[in-house]
Amino acid sequence: MTPAHTNGTTARRSDSEHFPPDGKLRVYRSKMGGNEWEALTKGLPQSNCYVNVLRDAMAVDSLDSCGVYFGTSGGQVYASADAGDSWTAIVRDLPAVLSVEVQTLP
């Protein structure tokens, strides 16, 4: 899968409540142009997680399979080297992450 075939987003309760529903951090992926979505949770906190992911705080690389990266308002940066199938916290204890950019070496 390449980034051109994937849509990704995170969930929040509402426009006024900016944290994951039920305190479970999830990334959602669509391989069907947004018609169907699947929750990706492996390696992400699934209890007592009340962080937000800002619009510019998620990025993908150009590798095949694509890497996906996002930062949270709690100062964590998560990475997935397998297009979102599993996640690892690669940085913790930063200030709120406002933006994430990715660069791969040739």
Side-chain angles (χ1 to χ4, degrees):
M1 176 174 27
T2 62
H5 298 115
T6 304
N7 295 324
T9 188
T10 57
R12 63 182 187 196
R13 290 186 58 84
S14 71
D15 285 340
S16 62
E17 297 178 327
H18 298 267
F19 56 86
D22 304 320
K24 298 178 180 181
L25 187 56
R26 298 171 228 161
V27 173
Y28 288 86
R29 173 175 63 197
S30 175
K31 296 179 183 179
M32 304 295 294
N35 292 323
E36 296 177 19
W37 294 87
E38 63 180 308
L40 308 172
T41 61
K42 185 176 179 183
L44 296 176
Q46 295 301 292
S47 64
N48 300 316
C49 183
Y50 298 99
V51 297
N52 190 20
V53 178
L54 299 176
R55 179 172 304 149
D56 290 334
M58 180 178 269
V60 297
D61 62 32
S62 59
L63 301 175
D64 188 27
S65 125
C66 69
V68 186
Y69 312 84
F70 71 91
T72 73
S73 60
Q76 302 86 21
V77 176
Y78 291 91
S80 172
D82 53 13
D85 289 333
S86 61
W87 297 91
T88 301
I90 58 171
V91 179
R92 298 182 188 271
D93 302 321
L94 293 173
V97 178
L98 306 178
S99 178
V100 172
E101 292 187 27
V102 178
Q103 181 176 359
T104 55
L105 300 174

